[in-house]
């Protein structure tokens, strides 16, 4: 039994966490929307921000996005430099 899941409320709190600077929330937000809907450019922007905040998962996703041509070499390099600081 338990509590019924509320998708709208869950997404709202996920967005609020991402706006508040939580890199894992930002990566999860991409997984729930942008990447699945084919909006790769916006998804990669979320991953760049998360990588700048120190997310290992975001760096790996950016690496894959770079290999697939969704991220420019300059954007990937800048995100990687920011991650390594």
């Amino acid at each position: 039994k338990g509590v019924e899941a509320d998708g709208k409320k869950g997404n709202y709190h996920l967005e609020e966490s991402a706006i508040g600077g939580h890199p894992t929330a930002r990566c999860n937000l991409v997984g729930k929307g942008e990447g699945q809907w084919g909006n790769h450019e916006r998804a990669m922007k979320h991953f760049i921000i998360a990588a700048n905040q120190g997310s290992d998962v975001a760096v790996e996703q950016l690496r894959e996005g770079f290999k697939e041509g969704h991220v420019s070499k300059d954007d990937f390099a800048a995100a990687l430099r920011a991650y390594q600081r």
Side-chain angles (χ1 to χ4, degrees), residues 2-40:
V3 178
E4 190 174 314
D6 184 347
K8 279 187 173 182
K9 198 173 213 179
N11 283 342
Y12 168 78
H13 289 292
L14 195 57
E15 288 173 4
E16 288 296 309
S17 295
I19 290 167
H22 197 279
T24 303
R26 191 168 287 277
C27 290
N28 289 340
L29 188 62
V30 172
K32 287 190 169 256
E34 305 301 342
Q36 293 177 348
W37 297 329
N39 194 347
H40 298 290

Side-chain angles (χ1 to χ4, degrees), residues 26-81:
R26 191 168 287 277
C27 290
N28 289 340
L29 188 62
V30 172
K32 287 190 169 256
E34 305 301 342
Q36 293 177 348
W37 297 329
N39 194 347
H40 298 290
E41 182 179 333
R42 188 165 178 186
M44 292 302 119
K45 286 181 183 180
H46 283 298
F47 284 134
I48 288 169
I49 293 168
N52 290 342
Q53 295 171 335
S55 171
D56 298 333
V57 172
V59 171
E60 289 304 315
Q61 292 298 318
L62 283 171
R63 183 172 284 121
E64 291 300 315
F66 175 68
K67 287 178 186 176
E68 295 172 5
H70 299 299
V71 180
S72 72
K73 184 176 182 178
D74 291 338
D75 287 342
F76 180 61
L80 195 56
R81 279 192 302 274

